[in-house]
Amino acid sequence: AIARAQAGLRVGLMDADVDGPNVPMRMGTNAPPPVVGDRIQPLLAYGVKLMSLGFLIERGQAAIWRGPIVMKIVTQFLRDVDWGTLDYLIVDLPPGTGDIAISVAQLVPSAEILVVTTPQLAAQEVAERAGSIALQTHQRIAGVAENMSYLPCPHCGEAIDVFGAGGGQAVETVMSRGVGAEGAWRGEGAVWTMSS
């Protein structure tokens, strides 16, 4: 989100991980968002418009909510936040295939999905299930990002595979096999790896 904003694009970042809203910490801002009329005003950091449940609850407070309330929060963030005109609205989803992923798929059927994994097998399996929901709901998959791919050695700079290797490529292979005639896979072998 920050990189796209620095490139001059209008970007919003919506933290839909209701159980673990970490956008406030990651973006270094945390305050109740102002309300103008009936529209919630997103906060701004690094040129990115932000909305997170983390702005609305006390830090460390658990959000113990079930499906209908979670769906209402996600819907409110999409419809009642004054995002303005954006080039990108990036939605940070929780891992897995729960209510939030399904709600976003229903509310934003034209969304493109970037499937994120780490090299570990357990993370790959969760990412594959999340990607399969996107395919079943006819969303397009833009590609796969493998986070925590390696640790650069502080002495020589060589990559150390702390958590294994190849998780992103494995998920990409599974996702590209699962594409039907609608051609929902757009990644065309796109796997991005990021160091820890």
Side-chain angles (χ1 to χ4, degrees):
I2 294 171
R4 292 199 182 268
Q6 288 175 340
L9 297 168
R10 297 163 298 187
V11 182
L13 176 57
M14 181 180 123
D15 188 354
D17 190 347
V18 174
D19 295 324
N22 62 12
V23 163
M25 186 225 2
R26 299 259 182 225
M27 298 296 278
T29 186
N30 195 356
V35 177
V36 176
D38 60 351
R39 306 284 287 167
I40 303 167
Q41 303 302 304
L43 300 183
L44 189 66
Y46 302 101
V48 178
K49 293 181 177 182
L50 308 171
M51 180 49 57
S52 172
L53 183 66
F55 299 146
L56 306 172
I57 62 175
E58 300 240 356
R59 188 173 180 163
Q61 178 183 347
I64 307 171
W65 294 319
R66 299 189 76 131
I69 294 174
V70 169
M71 173 106 175
K72 185 176 180 184
I73 291 167
V74 171
T75 302
Q76 187 171 16
F77 281 0
L78 287 170
R79 294 187 180 156
D80 296 341
V81 172
D82 189 6
W83 293 107
T85 302
L86 296 176
D87 296 305
Y88 289 93
L89 176 61
I90 299 171
V91 181
D92 179 21
L93 297 171
T97 58
D99 290 334
I100 296 173
I102 295 168
S103 296
V104 170
Q106 291 170 341
L107 293 166
V108 192
S110 61
E112 292 192 6
I113 305 297
L114 176 63
V115 178
V116 180
T117 188
T118 57
Q120 300 98 317
L121 181 59
Q124 292 172 43
E125 290 174 353
V126 171
E128 288 166 10
R129 286 194 296 273
S132 75
I133 279 190
L135 293 173
Q136 290 173 39
T137 57
H138 306 292
Q139 291 176 303
R140 295 171 61 89
I141 298 178
V144 176
E146 180 185 285
N147 199 7
M148 296 189 283
S149 300
Y150 60 92
L151 175 70
C153 175
H155 305 291
C156 67
E158 186 176 324
I160 302 168
D161 296 328
V162 177
F163 300 112
Q169 189 61 54
V171 172
E172 189 274 339
T173 299
V174 169
M175 292 292 92
S176 61
R177 265 193 248 132
V179 176
E182 71 279 354
W185 174 255
R186 185 172 84 75
E188 300 168 7
V191 178
W192 298 275
T193 57
M194 295 163 276
S195 71
S196 4

Short mmCIF file of all heavy atoms in Angstrom, two decimals, residues 66-103:
data_model
loop_
_atom_site.label_atom_id
_atom_site.label_comp_id
_atom_site.label_asym_id
_atom_site.label_seq_id
_atom_site.Cartn_x
_atom_site.Cartn_y
_atom_site.Cartn_z
N ARG A 66 -19.33 -12.95 16.52
CA ARG A 66 -19.65 -14.04 15.61
C ARG A 66 -19.96 -13.49 14.22
O ARG A 66 -19.99 -12.29 14.01
CB ARG A 66 -20.82 -14.82 16.19
CG ARG A 66 -20.44 -15.42 17.56
CD ARG A 66 -21.49 -16.35 18.00
NE ARG A 66 -21.36 -17.59 17.25
CZ ARG A 66 -21.35 -18.78 17.77
NH1 ARG A 66 -21.46 -18.92 19.07
NH2 ARG A 66 -21.25 -19.85 17.04
N GLY A 67 -20.22 -14.40 13.31
CA GLY A 67 -20.40 -14.10 11.89
C GLY A 67 -21.22 -12.88 11.53
O GLY A 67 -20.75 -12.00 10.80
N PRO A 68 -22.48 -12.76 12.00
CA PRO A 68 -23.31 -11.63 11.57
C PRO A 68 -22.72 -10.27 11.95
O PRO A 68 -22.80 -9.31 11.19
CB PRO A 68 -24.65 -11.87 12.28
CG PRO A 68 -24.68 -13.33 12.55
CD PRO A 68 -23.26 -13.73 12.78
N ILE A 69 -22.13 -10.18 13.14
CA ILE A 69 -21.54 -8.91 13.56
C ILE A 69 -20.29 -8.60 12.75
O ILE A 69 -20.06 -7.47 12.32
CB ILE A 69 -21.24 -8.92 15.08
CG1 ILE A 69 -22.55 -9.01 15.85
CG2 ILE A 69 -20.44 -7.69 15.49
CD1 ILE A 69 -22.39 -9.18 17.34
N VAL A 70 -19.50 -9.64 12.49
CA VAL A 70 -18.29 -9.46 11.68
C VAL A 70 -18.67 -8.99 10.28
O VAL A 70 -18.06 -8.07 9.73
CB VAL A 70 -17.48 -10.78 11.63
CG1 VAL A 70 -16.38 -10.71 10.60
CG2 VAL A 70 -16.91 -11.11 13.00
N MET A 71 -19.70 -9.60 9.71
CA MET A 71 -20.16 -9.19 8.37
C MET A 71 -20.60 -7.73 8.39
O MET A 71 -20.32 -6.97 7.46
CB MET A 71 -21.31 -10.09 7.93
CG MET A 71 -21.96 -9.66 6.65
SD MET A 71 -21.50 -10.72 5.31
CE MET A 71 -22.51 -10.07 4.00
N LYS A 72 -21.27 -7.32 9.46
CA LYS A 72 -21.74 -5.94 9.57
C LYS A 72 -20.55 -4.97 9.62
O LYS A 72 -20.58 -3.91 9.00
CB LYS A 72 -22.61 -5.77 10.81
CG LYS A 72 -23.24 -4.41 10.94
CD LYS A 72 -24.18 -4.33 12.12
CE LYS A 72 -24.77 -2.94 12.21
NZ LYS A 72 -25.62 -2.74 13.35
N ILE A 73 -19.50 -5.33 10.35
CA ILE A 73 -18.31 -4.47 10.44
C ILE A 73 -17.64 -4.33 9.07
O ILE A 73 -17.32 -3.23 8.63
CB ILE A 73 -17.32 -5.04 11.48
CG1 ILE A 73 -17.90 -4.90 12.88
CG2 ILE A 73 -15.97 -4.33 11.38
CD1 ILE A 73 -17.16 -5.68 13.93
N VAL A 74 -17.45 -5.45 8.39
CA VAL A 74 -16.82 -5.42 7.07
C VAL A 74 -17.66 -4.60 6.10
O VAL A 74 -17.14 -3.77 5.35
CB VAL A 74 -16.59 -6.86 6.55
CG1 VAL A 74 -16.14 -6.84 5.09
CG2 VAL A 74 -15.56 -7.58 7.41
N THR A 75 -18.97 -4.81 6.13
CA THR A 75 -19.88 -4.04 5.27
C THR A 75 -19.78 -2.55 5.58
O THR A 75 -19.72 -1.71 4.67
CB THR A 75 -21.33 -4.54 5.44
OG1 THR A 75 -21.38 -5.93 5.13
CG2 THR A 75 -22.28 -3.78 4.53
N GLN A 76 -19.76 -2.21 6.87
CA GLN A 76 -19.66 -0.80 7.26
C GLN A 76 -18.35 -0.19 6.79
O GLN A 76 -18.33 0.95 6.31
CB GLN A 76 -19.81 -0.66 8.77
CG GLN A 76 -19.89 0.78 9.21
CD GLN A 76 -20.25 0.94 10.68
OE1 GLN A 76 -20.17 -0.01 11.46
NE2 GLN A 76 -20.64 2.13 11.06
N PHE A 77 -17.26 -0.92 6.91
CA PHE A 77 -15.97 -0.40 6.45
C PHE A 77 -15.99 -0.16 4.94
O PHE A 77 -15.37 0.78 4.45
CB PHE A 77 -14.84 -1.36 6.81
CG PHE A 77 -14.40 -1.29 8.24
CD1 PHE A 77 -14.98 -0.42 9.15
CD2 PHE A 77 -13.38 -2.10 8.68
CE1 PHE A 77 -14.55 -0.36 10.47
CE2 PHE A 77 -12.93 -2.05 10.00
CZ PHE A 77 -13.52 -1.18 10.88
N LEU A 78 -16.68 -1.00 4.19
CA LEU A 78 -16.74 -0.83 2.74
C LEU A 78 -17.70 0.29 2.33
O LEU A 78 -17.42 1.03 1.41
CB LEU A 78 -17.15 -2.14 2.07
CG LEU A 78 -16.08 -3.23 2.03
CD1 LEU A 78 -16.67 -4.55 1.58
CD2 LEU A 78 -14.91 -2.82 1.14
N ARG A 79 -18.84 0.39 3.01
CA ARG A 79 -19.89 1.31 2.56
C ARG A 79 -19.93 2.64 3.29
O ARG A 79 -20.34 3.65 2.70
CB ARG A 79 -21.25 0.62 2.71
CG ARG A 79 -21.39 -0.56 1.79
CD ARG A 79 -22.78 -1.14 1.81
NE ARG A 79 -22.84 -2.28 0.89
CZ ARG A 79 -23.70 -3.25 0.98
NH1 ARG A 79 -24.61 -3.25 1.93
NH2 ARG A 79 -23.69 -4.24 0.12
N ASP A 80 -19.55 2.67 4.56
CA ASP A 80 -19.72 3.88 5.37
C ASP A 80 -18.45 4.68 5.59
O ASP A 80 -18.48 5.73 6.21
CB ASP A 80 -20.34 3.54 6.73
CG ASP A 80 -21.74 2.96 6.59
OD1 ASP A 80 -22.36 3.15 5.53
OD2 ASP A 80 -22.21 2.31 7.54
N VAL A 81 -17.33 4.18 5.11
CA VAL A 81 -16.07 4.93 5.23
C VAL A 81 -15.94 5.79 3.99
O VAL A 81 -16.16 5.34 2.86
CB VAL A 81 -14.87 3.97 5.38
CG1 VAL A 81 -13.55 4.73 5.29
CG2 VAL A 81 -14.95 3.21 6.69
N ASP A 82 -15.58 7.04 4.19
CA ASP A 82 -15.44 7.99 3.09
C ASP A 82 -14.06 7.81 2.43
O ASP A 82 -13.14 8.59 2.65
CB ASP A 82 -15.60 9.42 3.63
CG ASP A 82 -15.67 10.44 2.51
OD1 ASP A 82 -15.72 10.05 1.33
OD2 ASP A 82 -15.68 11.64 2.83
N TRP A 83 -13.95 6.76 1.61
CA TRP A 83 -12.68 6.45 0.96
C TRP A 83 -12.34 7.47 -0.12
O TRP A 83 -11.18 7.63 -0.48
CB TRP A 83 -12.73 5.05 0.35
CG TRP A 83 -12.82 3.94 1.34
CD1 TRP A 83 -13.91 3.15 1.61
CD2 TRP A 83 -11.79 3.48 2.21
NE1 TRP A 83 -13.61 2.24 2.58
CE2 TRP A 83 -12.32 2.41 2.97
CE3 TRP A 83 -10.47 3.86 2.44
CZ2 TRP A 83 -11.57 1.72 3.93
CZ3 TRP A 83 -9.72 3.16 3.38
CH2 TRP A 83 -10.27 2.12 4.12
N GLY A 84 -13.36 8.17 -0.66
CA GLY A 84 -13.11 9.06 -1.78
C GLY A 84 -12.80 8.24 -3.02
O GLY A 84 -13.14 7.07 -3.12
N THR A 85 -12.15 8.87 -3.98
CA THR A 85 -11.77 8.17 -5.21
C THR A 85 -10.42 7.51 -5.00
O THR A 85 -9.45 8.17 -4.64
CB THR A 85 -11.68 9.17 -6.39
OG1 THR A 85 -12.95 9.81 -6.52
CG2 THR A 85 -11.33 8.46 -7.68
N LEU A 86 -10.37 6.21 -5.20
CA LEU A 86 -9.14 5.45 -5.00
C LEU A 86 -8.73 4.74 -6.28
O LEU A 86 -9.58 4.32 -7.06
CB LEU A 86 -9.33 4.39 -3.90
CG LEU A 86 -9.63 4.86 -2.49
CD1 LEU A 86 -9.89 3.66 -1.58
CD2 LEU A 86 -8.49 5.70 -1.94
N ASP A 87 -7.43 4.58 -6.44
CA ASP A 87 -6.91 3.70 -7.49
C ASP A 87 -6.90 2.26 -6.98
O ASP A 87 -7.13 1.32 -7.76
CB ASP A 87 -5.50 4.13 -7.89
CG ASP A 87 -5.49 5.52 -8.51
OD1 ASP A 87 -6.24 5.73 -9.49
OD2 ASP A 87 -4.75 6.39 -8.01
N TYR A 88 -6.62 2.09 -5.68
CA TYR A 88 -6.58 0.77 -5.07
C TYR A 88 -7.20 0.83 -3.67
O TYR A 88 -6.88 1.74 -2.90
CB TYR A 88 -5.14 0.27 -4.89
CG TYR A 88 -4.46 -0.10 -6.18
CD1 TYR A 88 -3.69 0.83 -6.86
CD2 TYR A 88 -4.58 -1.38 -6.71
CE1 TYR A 88 -3.05 0.50 -8.05
CE2 TYR A 88 -3.95 -1.72 -7.90
CZ TYR A 88 -3.19 -0.77 -8.56
OH TYR A 88 -2.58 -1.10 -9.73
N LEU A 89 -8.04 -0.13 -3.37
CA LEU A 89 -8.44 -0.38 -1.99
C LEU A 89 -7.90 -1.76 -1.66
O LEU A 89 -8.36 -2.77 -2.20
CB LEU A 89 -9.96 -0.35 -1.81
CG LEU A 89 -10.42 -0.72 -0.39
CD1 LEU A 89 -9.88 0.26 0.65
CD2 LEU A 89 -11.94 -0.78 -0.31
N ILE A 90 -6.90 -1.79 -0.81
CA ILE A 90 -6.28 -3.04 -0.41
C ILE A 90 -6.95 -3.48 0.88
O ILE A 90 -7.04 -2.72 1.84
CB ILE A 90 -4.76 -2.87 -0.22
CG1 ILE A 90 -4.13 -2.44 -1.56
CG2 ILE A 90 -4.13 -4.15 0.31
CD1 ILE A 90 -2.69 -2.03 -1.46
N VAL A 91 -7.45 -4.72 0.89
CA VAL A 91 -8.15 -5.26 2.04
C VAL A 91 -7.28 -6.36 2.64
O VAL A 91 -6.98 -7.36 1.99
CB VAL A 91 -9.54 -5.82 1.66
CG1 VAL A 91 -10.26 -6.36 2.88
CG2 VAL A 91 -10.38 -4.74 0.98
N ASP A 92 -6.85 -6.15 3.87
CA ASP A 92 -6.05 -7.13 4.59
C ASP A 92 -7.00 -8.11 5.26
O ASP A 92 -7.71 -7.75 6.20
CB ASP A 92 -5.16 -6.43 5.62
CG ASP A 92 -4.30 -7.40 6.42
OD1 ASP A 92 -4.08 -8.53 5.95
OD2 ASP A 92 -3.85 -7.01 7.51
N LEU A 93 -7.03 -9.35 4.77
CA LEU A 93 -7.91 -10.38 5.31
C LEU A 93 -7.17 -11.25 6.31
O LEU A 93 -5.96 -11.42 6.22
CB LEU A 93 -8.43 -11.27 4.17
CG LEU A 93 -9.30 -10.60 3.12
CD1 LEU A 93 -9.55 -11.56 1.96
CD2 LEU A 93 -10.60 -10.15 3.72
N PRO A 94 -7.89 -11.85 7.25
CA PRO A 94 -7.25 -12.81 8.14
C PRO A 94 -6.92 -14.08 7.36
O PRO A 94 -7.49 -14.33 6.30
CB PRO A 94 -8.32 -13.07 9.20
CG PRO A 94 -9.61 -12.79 8.52
CD PRO A 94 -9.32 -11.70 7.53
N PRO A 95 -6.00 -14.88 7.89
CA PRO A 95 -5.70 -16.14 7.20
C PRO A 95 -6.91 -17.07 7.22
O PRO A 95 -7.73 -17.01 8.12
CB PRO A 95 -4.53 -16.73 8.00
CG PRO A 95 -4.45 -15.96 9.26
CD PRO A 95 -5.22 -14.69 9.09
N GLY A 96 -6.99 -17.90 6.20
CA GLY A 96 -8.02 -18.94 6.21
C GLY A 96 -9.24 -18.60 5.38
O GLY A 96 -9.23 -17.73 4.52
N THR A 97 -10.31 -19.32 5.68
CA THR A 97 -11.50 -19.30 4.83
C THR A 97 -12.76 -18.99 5.63
O THR A 97 -13.82 -19.52 5.34
CB THR A 97 -11.66 -20.68 4.15
OG1 THR A 97 -11.76 -21.67 5.19
CG2 THR A 97 -10.50 -21.00 3.25
N GLY A 98 -12.65 -18.14 6.61
CA GLY A 98 -13.79 -17.86 7.48
C GLY A 98 -14.78 -16.87 6.91
O GLY A 98 -14.77 -16.53 5.72
N ASP A 99 -15.65 -16.39 7.79
CA ASP A 99 -16.74 -15.49 7.41
C ASP A 99 -16.25 -14.23 6.69
O ASP A 99 -16.91 -13.74 5.77
CB ASP A 99 -17.52 -15.04 8.66
CG ASP A 99 -18.34 -16.16 9.26
OD1 ASP A 99 -18.72 -17.08 8.51
OD2 ASP A 99 -18.60 -16.12 10.47
N ILE A 100 -15.11 -13.70 7.11
CA ILE A 100 -14.66 -12.43 6.55
C ILE A 100 -14.29 -12.60 5.08
O ILE A 100 -14.69 -11.79 4.23
CB ILE A 100 -13.49 -11.86 7.37
CG1 ILE A 100 -13.98 -11.53 8.79
CG2 ILE A 100 -12.90 -10.63 6.70
CD1 ILE A 100 -12.90 -11.12 9.75
N ALA A 101 -13.54 -13.64 4.75
CA ALA A 101 -13.16 -13.87 3.35
C ALA A 101 -14.40 -14.07 2.48
O ALA A 101 -14.49 -13.53 1.37
CB ALA A 101 -12.24 -15.07 3.25
N ILE A 102 -15.36 -14.81 2.99
CA ILE A 102 -16.59 -15.06 2.23
C ILE A 102 -17.38 -13.76 2.08
O ILE A 102 -17.90 -13.46 1.01
CB ILE A 102 -17.42 -16.16 2.91
CG1 ILE A 102 -16.66 -17.49 2.85
CG2 ILE A 102 -18.79 -16.30 2.25
CD1 ILE A 102 -17.23 -18.58 3.73
N SER A 103 -17.46 -12.96 3.15
CA SER A 103 -18.19 -11.68 3.09
C SER A 103 -17.57 -10.75 2.07
O SER A 103 -18.28 -10.12 1.28
CB SER A 103 -18.19 -11.01 4.47
OG SER A 103 -18.89 -11.78 5.40
#
